[in-house]
Every structure is written in C-alpha cells, then in structure tokens.
Amino acid sequence: QVQLVESGGGLVQAGGSLRLSCAASGRTISSYTMGWFRQAPGKEREFVAAISWNGGIASYADSVKGRFTISRDNAENTVFLQMTSLKPEDTAVYYCTADVRGLYYSIRDPSNYDYWGQGTQVTVSS
C-alpha cells in the first residue's frame, strides 16, 4: 500500500517555471517505475513523463520534451517534475503515479500503474 501526495502546483505566467513534488509513504518506491500524467477539463488523462527505478531511463511526451525534466530521490522517497517554458496548453491537473512492477513497460498507458496521487493544479496564464 502506497500513498502519493503531489505538491508545488499553482498559477504562473507563460514562460515561467514550476517544480512539482510527489512524496510517497507506506512503502519504499525505490524499485518502482514512477510517472507523471496530466488531465485538462474535458480531455483524457495524458502521459507526461516517466522514470525507471534507478533513474537510468526517462521518457517524455513530445509536447513537453526539452521543457520538462523528471527526476527522483529514492533516499527521500520522492519524485519531481521540473517544468520550464510553460505554455497555456500545459494547464491541467498533474498526477503522480507508481508501477510496482518496475519493468518500464508500456509506460504511456495509465492502466499499467497501481497507485495515484490526488493531483495538483497547474494553471499557466497567457
């Protein structure tokens, strides 16, 4: 049983930056694949980024590649998403998620993840 709590969302102007954090408790996440998804009103939940258990592999949606960076600190049981050059189309609720298998397989499919946080709102104004 794992609990995930996101923080760091807020309101920023286009071109600004935010750093999201995902704090895990209940179990260590050191062997899990971790990911970030986002969902805007009226749209499906979409993949943003994922990172392998030891941080050796990271993947990004084309829409955020070059602007967002996912990282993890297993000693602190925490995952981060550094977002730069934010655009209004980045506005969404951002969710942290964990895959306990840690296989880094089908990482863009939300059905492969086992635990989800409650989400944190990111709003980017034009």
Side-chain angles (χ1 to χ4, degrees):
Q1 188 67 233
V2 177
Q3 296 80 46
L4 304 173
V5 179
E6 303 95 334
S7 62
L11 174 64
V12 298
Q13 290 187 302
S17 300
L18 281 175
R19 190 191 196 205
L20 306 184
S21 298
C22 173
S25 61
R27 299 285 300 276
T28 178
I29 63 168
S30 60
S31 63
Y32 299 172
T33 298
M34 301 297 296
W36 289 93
F37 286 71
R38 66 187 183 187
Q39 189 166 24
K43 300 184 67 177
E44 293 186 356
R45 189 167 299 189
E46 67 172 345
F47 171 78
V48 176
I51 189 166
S52 62
W53 69 275
N54 63 352
I57 308 172
S59 302
Y60 300 92
D62 288 343
S63 59
V64 308
K65 196 170 298 180
R67 300 188 297 119
F68 291 9
T69 302
I70 187 171
S71 61
R72 65 193 299 163
D73 185 343
N74 284 342
E76 296 296 326
N77 228 31
T78 304
V79 181
F80 305 96
L81 185 69
Q82 179 67 49
M83 306 184 294
T84 63
S85 301
L86 283 161
K87 305 174 181 179
E89 50 263 46
D90 295 318
T91 296
V93 176
Y94 283 70
Y95 297 92
C96 177
T97 188
D99 174 7
V100 303
R101 297 170 299 177
L103 297 177
Y104 212 76
Y105 175 75
S106 296
I107 49 111
R108 292 168 176 81
D109 183 355
S111 68
N112 287 325
Y113 293 86
D114 303 290
Y115 299 101
W116 295 84
Q118 81 291 338
T120 186
Q121 177 71 48
V122 172
T123 303
V124 184
S125 62
S126 60

